[in-house]
Amino acid sequence: MPDRGSKDETGAVRPGLLFVSRDPTMARMAMGLMTAAAGENGPDVACAGLGDEVLDPGLASTLMQEIGAELTATATALSKLKGRTFDLVVTLDEEARERCLWADTCKGDEPAPPARDTLLAGIPVLLHWDVIPDGVGEDDLREAREALADHVGALAGQGFFNAIIGQRRRWERLLDTLQDGVIAHDVHRRIFLFNREAERICGVKREEVLGRDCHALFKPDGLCGSQCKFCEPTEPAAGRSERETTFTARDGVDRRLKMSVSPLQL
């Protein structure tokens, strides 16, 4: 089941923030700086690396201690974050950015992009900071630390993070006021948007469906039955189509659904 993260002292779910870098040490530095800047009431922060550590973590730890921050113990592999959803994903180098923006262009038997169902469940905001150092020496890493500290200071200390989260929550509340169920998934049928009316119709909570394959969740043929456009070998045609189908909800009740399907590019 997708995990929306930890809760604060009031019981509210903390907004989720993920730092991604090709070098785990950079992601660990970013997480340590954000944790120090935001304090106990900050977001639920995680970090992930795409490859092996090239930068010296011991040197990074020393440089972090110079400014009163700690180097996060470990970075998590993206595959280990499956099931987590994030409100904001910050990439720290071009390789990480390309990985997180990898378009869903795989068809047929091609494998799905490995980062997509983790990073896009819940449609996180994607933010890019190009702060990877040019070298691996002390001066290079100190310069990268200063750049990271400036960005993190602006994000946490000048209200940008709260503004981003506030805007996301407003859109979520708007979708939840609609009297129609709204569901969105990628070309691999992984659901990344599921509003409150969709919860009522299908009999499941959004936390149970985000990041999951529609057909695996709503067996045997998903919500669209045998008419699913995303089971065809060719790319779905643009434009809206309407259809009716019978869907069996979790409570065992058959519901006749009138569906409007619109492929879109986000």
Side-chain angles (χ1 to χ4, degrees):
M1 181 182 297
D3 177 12
R4 286 290 294 183
S6 62
K7 295 182 179 182
D8 62 20
E9 58 187 14
T10 69
V13 176
R14 295 181 187 274
L17 169 61
L18 173 66
F19 292 104
V20 185
S21 175
R22 71 169 183 257
D23 192 305
T25 297
M26 285 298 296
R28 292 167 64 190
M29 290 176 68
M31 180 174 174
L33 288 166
M34 186 67 188
T35 301
E40 296 181 356
N41 296 321
D44 186 17
V45 189
C47 64
L50 302 181
D52 297 329
E53 286 184 318
V54 176
L55 300 173
D56 182 354
L59 176 59
S61 179
T62 299
L63 294 176
M64 291 283 282
Q65 291 173 12
E66 287 181 357
I67 58 173
E70 297 291 334
L71 183 68
T72 300
T74 58
T76 306
L78 283 175
S79 60
K80 300 295 185 181
L81 292 174
K82 186 175 183 179
R84 286 284 301 276
T85 62
F86 297 97
D87 295 284
L88 177 63
V89 174
V90 180
T91 56
L92 305 178
D93 54 73
E94 195 60 33
E95 183 178 335
R97 179 177 180 272
E98 290 178 0
R99 178 74 173 271
C100 295
L101 288 176
W102 197 347
D104 281 314
T105 56
C106 297
K107 300 294 179 184
D109 295 330
E110 295 181 44
R116 294 297 277 182
D117 70 341
T118 296
L119 297 183
L120 287 191
I123 328 180
V125 175
L126 300 179
L127 186 62
H128 180 61
W129 301 341
D130 192 2
V131 294
I132 199 76
D134 295 327
V136 297
E138 181 175 343
D139 290 341
D140 298 304
L141 198 51
R142 179 175 281 108
E143 183 178 349
R145 182 205 65 188
E146 291 305 309
L148 270 177
D150 288 343
H151 285 300
V152 167
L155 186 66
Q158 298 181 22
F160 292 115
F161 183 78
N162 289 337
I164 291 170
I165 299 305
Q167 185 64 24
R168 282 178 56 78
R169 297 294 182 261
R170 283 190 285 274
W171 279 109
E172 289 176 357
R173 289 195 295 270
L174 176 62
L175 286 171
D176 282 341
T177 64
L178 300 179
Q179 295 183 350
D180 294 323
V182 179
I183 302 172
H185 61 69
D186 63 19
V187 298
H188 303 290
R189 303 190 303 264
R190 291 187 297 253
I191 296 170
F192 59 81
L193 190 152
F194 202 83
N195 75 342
R196 186 164 295 166
E197 184 62 12
E199 290 183 326
R200 187 194 68 79
I201 293 171
C202 298
V204 293
K205 295 293 185 180
R206 74 186 76 188
E207 290 80 9
E208 301 177 68
V209 305
L210 291 179
R212 297 184 61 185
D213 183 334
C214 175
H215 284 222
L217 185 66
F218 303 113
K219 297 179 179 181
D221 298 314
L223 290 171
C224 300
S226 59
Q227 305 177 73
C228 179
K229 286 188 174 185
F230 294 88
C231 292
E232 300 171 0
T234 58
E235 185 173 343
R240 176 178 297 181
S241 62
E242 295 188 355
R243 65 188 65 158
E244 292 189 7
T245 187
T246 299
F247 167 73
T248 302
R250 175 174 287 184
D251 59 9
V253 176
D254 287 341
R255 292 183 171 86
R256 190 66 179 170
L257 303 181
K258 183 176 181 181
M259 304 181 66
S260 177
V261 181
S262 300
L264 56 89
Q265 181 70 45
L266 292 177

